[in-house]
Amino acid sequence: MTERSPPYQAHPPTEHLSGSIERVTFHSEQSGFCVLRVKVRGQRDLVTVIGSAASVTPGEYLECQGEWVNDRQHGLQFKALQLRSVPPSTIEGIERYLGSGMVKGIGPHFARKLVHAFGERVFDVIEDNPDELRKLPGIGPKRQARVTGAWAEQKVIREIMVFLQSHGVGTARAVRIYKTYGDASVARVTENPYRLALDIHGIGFKTADAIAQRLGIAADSLIRAQAGVRHCLQEVAGNGHCAAYREALAEQAVALLTIPAPVIEQAIRAEVGEGNLIEEPIDTRPALFLTALQRAEQGIAAGVRRLQLRLPVWGHIDPERAIPWVEGRTGLALSPSQRSAVAAAIKGKVTVITGGPGVGKTTVVRSILDILAAKGVEMLLCAPTGRAAKRLAESTGREARTIHRVLEFDPKAMAFKRDQYSQLKTHLLVVDECSMVDTALMNQLLRAVPTPAAVLLVGDVDQLPSVGPGSVLADLIASGVVPTCRLTEVFRQAAASRIIVNAHRINAGRLPEHAHEGPADSDFYLIPCNSAEEIQDRLLRVVLERIPQRFGLDPVAEVQVLTPMNRGGLGARSLNVTLQQRLNPSSAPRVTRFGWTYAPGDKVIQLINNYDKEVFNGDIGRIAAIDEEEGLVLVEIDGRRVEYEFGELDELSLAYATSIHKAQGSEYPAVVIPLAMQHYMLLERNLLYTAVTRGRRLVVLIAEPRALAMAVKRVGSNLRLTKLRQRLIEAAADAPGLEDETP
């Protein structure tokens, strides 16, 4: 019989180590992993401690159990198996602790004041006698309230974090949970952890599922199966689809949850029964919709039908007279296709005008607006993004706003003030960049349009569809229900631009014209490369040297790198780190949160819609300042300064490089596009076409020839599953004849 070693010999005995945290070299809010430099009694040099903690702050006192390890790269370290930090008790530690920015409103300068005034009593003063703070110069009621409020919040958050960290939630997410649920956080999480995936930005199903299992919710329970089914359908919606075929969704849920198929079928029935999902066929195949998306599709079809029931409020306008009049007024002769588009719009109630760059969409829209303005027609102009609205205003000479501003979005109520009960005051609504408008937003927009009014939808249907679910513009055109004018003729002036010529070549399935350098005045360059490494080398030279030297463009403010993916060596994340090091290497102060390090001068992009701040997914800005005292980052976006607390920085990422999807609706003076076989999964014609058409003055395409050929050739492999086209056709078939509402 083999003798077994005693259990305690399986691991070396642990040691105890304690000291004050001098510096937090690294801390991941997501995983809790940290690298700390600790001052330990009896040790002359600082000790490196690695471990995991919910929260670590310079100045705190550290108690840990672990073992010494000799890392090949970093040398001797203490690997903490258990790590606990407590507020410091020494004057020096308290000052460092308070000055670290952990409490909003207290930075290094104010921390020094507090410690000098109150010494070791400072924590008690803040918590129990906050009025004493007012004795200090420069501390008024407002600042006192901020400090005491932030301290109280920190205390509650720490208690909640102990619970959440023990169930796998990192510090930053714990803060968001607290801000959403308040003091009821622990109760809410315990009651139904799957709510986190629905309610908290940055927490996905996997995190919620891990918490649920730690709380003892059975792996094959119905509550888990229902949450998993809904999560799978939300993932489908996140990829742009409005629905999923029932069979495919069930298979996806079984694979995700490893739950028997009968339990998943029961969960689907329960979700449908509770009204979270709606089941109906698409082309005779059973499909499932998230309820909100199914209702939105129905709303769009009903809205189009309602508007088409009546003639325009301005009555009959004779195109044979109106078009020569507007040509004489503008001095521009319209082409036959442009004349048809103008005629359709002044006669119609819902009209689509589509076409690529250089085909005269702007001229058509301006002509329509001039004709209708002469008739006294009231009009509203809007676009999905601030930049697109600004371009629309510049091109038409009329005020244009974002769709959210037109609909008067109320961030407190998270609802639009303009809807079917309080409609817009207009005779004509013009919506530009319509390919970007998703199903939910188009439904909100049409609900707010009064029945006598007309709608003009303008966009390029060959671009990428909206980031949100649906392909509204394509479905409207494909239905045949809405009069559509497709402009295809590239005008002579536009044809001088190689950007426009090559955009149309790509859209027609042809490779862009091959030129390493092109003529001296060219605005389009194609640089072939043999590998991803060569693409990166050329990209850095182009951005940092060639474009600034040859075209005089600022590499941060005026050059945008657009890449198909976020991950990988040529993904947005990796390129951002490299470009930041080269373009903004030594700025201070710096702040590191959520895996990014930010400094004044950095270019950043907003990742989600934040209605309180009035900044939206895809907005790009520059960091103007970092206020360590207040724990704030100030970002300049479209001429105004927006404040972000350090805990909100997961709403931003660096933007020296962005994904092509994030660039929809935006234009940049210069665009640099890397295209490699590592982007294989996303290489499609509309992706490349969208990227090329983002460049206003210059486009540089740096590509592996195989990747470029694949992108030009591939069409429609990612077609979105929707039922809108069918709903539009059915609604039109049910509609009665037109009524004339002419006054």
Side-chain angles (χ1 to χ4, degrees), residues 26-43:
F26 175 81
H27 181 237
S28 166
E29 285 88 349
Q30 285 81 4
S31 66
F33 176 76
C34 55
V35 180
L36 312 173
R37 298 284 281 163
V38 179
K39 188 174 185 179
V40 178
R41 182 177 292 179
Q43 298 269 5

Side-chain angles (χ1 to χ4, degrees), residues 232-252:
C232 287
L233 198 48
Q234 284 164 339
E235 288 282 292
V236 167
N239 290 326
H241 303 283
C242 287
Y245 290 120
R246 195 183 201 282
E247 185 182 341
L249 183 69
E251 288 175 0
Q252 189 179 338

Side-chain angles (χ1 to χ4, degrees), residues 634-707:
L634 306 178
V635 181
E636 192 94 22
I637 299 176
D638 287 335
R640 65 188 183 94
R641 284 200 170 185
V642 182
E643 289 187 356
Y644 292 83
E645 295 179 17
F646 285 176
E648 297 176 315
L649 290 177
D650 60 343
E651 294 187 11
L652 297 176
S653 75
L654 293 176
Y656 299 100
T658 71
S659 71
I660 296 167
H661 283 84
K662 287 286 184 190
Q664 283 176 268
S666 297
E667 282 187 350
Y668 312 93
V671 162
V672 179
I673 308 162
L675 218 60
M677 287 307 294
Q678 67 177 238
H679 302 136
Y680 173 84
M681 293 295 293
L682 291 177
L683 294 177
E684 290 229 352
R685 185 182 299 172
N686 61 359
L687 184 90
L688 178 57
Y689 174 73
T690 300
V692 168
T693 54
R694 299 309 90 202
R696 204 163 52 239
R697 291 169 53 188
L698 177 68
V699 170
V700 181
L701 181 56
I702 309 174
E704 290 182 62
R706 276 181 64 210

Side-chain angles (χ1 to χ4, degrees), residues 190-518:
T190 306
E191 177 191 339
N192 183 1
Y194 293 106
R195 292 291 311 172
L196 294 173
L198 299 175
D199 296 342
I200 312 295
H201 166 63
I203 291 186
F205 174 80
K206 288 185 178 178
T207 301
D209 196 33
I211 296 169
Q213 290 186 49
R214 286 192 176 103
L215 288 169
I217 294 175
D220 60 351
S221 64
L222 188 59
I223 187 175
R224 180 171 184 258
Q226 284 186 240
V229 164
R230 193 163 60 245
H231 166 72
C232 287
L233 198 48
Q234 284 164 339
E235 288 282 292
V236 167
N239 290 326
H241 303 283
C242 287
Y245 290 120
R246 195 183 201 282
E247 185 182 341
L249 183 69
E251 288 175 0
Q252 189 179 338
V254 167
L256 172 74
L257 303 171
T258 60
I259 289 178
V263 180
I264 296 297
E265 288 296 331
Q266 185 185 356
I268 290 173
R269 290 194 297 273
E271 284 290 287
V272 172
E274 291 173 19
N276 297 321
L277 309 183
I278 290 177
E279 183 170 11
E280 62 177 1
I282 298 178
D283 297 327
T284 72
R285 287 181 66 184
L288 289 160
F289 292 77
L290 291 168
T291 298
L293 286 175
Q294 194 264 5
R295 298 279 190 260
E297 281 196 350
Q298 286 183 327
I300 293 170
V304 170
R305 181 185 64 180
R306 172 177 60 84
L307 292 170
Q308 289 181 327
L309 289 177
R310 297 181 182 175
L311 290 167
V313 70
W314 53 79
H316 177 71
I317 297 176
D318 183 2
E320 297 300 322
R321 296 178 60 189
I323 292 173
W325 173 83
V326 81
E327 287 179 322
R329 191 171 184 276
T330 61
L332 296 172
L334 300 178
S335 70
S337 62
Q338 288 179 312
R339 284 170 163 258
S340 297
V342 171
I346 61 177
K347 289 190 295 186
K349 281 297 293 301
V350 183
T351 311
V352 170
I353 295 174
T354 188
V359 297
K361 292 194 300 291
T362 299
T363 300
V364 168
V365 172
R366 210 162 44 213
S367 300
I368 293 164
L369 298 183
D370 285 349
I371 291 169
L372 295 180
K375 293 286 186 179
V377 172
E378 293 180 49
M379 51 189 75
L380 281 175
L381 280 65
C382 63
T385 66
R387 290 189 172 196
K390 188 177 178 183
R391 283 204 315 277
L392 180 61
E394 290 168 352
S395 66
T396 60
R398 303 175 192 276
E399 183 191 11
R401 292 175 286 166
T402 64
I403 294 173
H404 282 81
R405 281 185 179 274
V406 165
L407 294 178
E408 298 176 34
F409 186 81
D410 179 0
K412 290 179 181 174
M414 288 302 286
F416 295 97
K417 291 181 180 177
R418 294 293 180 180
D419 55 21
Q420 66 268 45
Y421 307 110
S422 177
Q423 292 184 316
L424 300 167
K425 293 179 172 61
T426 189
H427 297 143
L428 173 69
L429 179 71
V430 180
V431 188
D432 198 16
E433 292 287 358
C434 221
S435 63
M436 292 182 64
V437 182
D438 63 27
T439 301
L441 189 55
M442 182 60 78
N443 179 43
Q444 295 283 359
L445 194 57
L446 292 180
R447 286 165 62 192
V449 179
T451 302
V455 175
L456 177 61
L457 305 173
V458 184
D460 186 347
V461 74
D462 295 318
Q463 286 186 22
L464 286 169
S466 56
V467 174
S471 47
V472 177
L473 184 61
D475 285 344
L476 285 167
I477 293 170
S479 72
V481 165
V482 177
T484 299
C485 305
R486 180 155 196 156
L487 306 174
T488 55
E489 181 187 350
V490 179
F491 287 90
R492 190 169 59 188
Q493 188 176 354
S497 163
R498 308 321 293 165
I499 295 174
I500 290 175
V501 168
N502 282 317
H504 283 277
R505 285 178 68 93
I506 290 165
N507 202 32
R510 297 160 64 199
L511 289 169
E513 291 176 339
H514 187 91
H516 287 277
E517 294 296 333

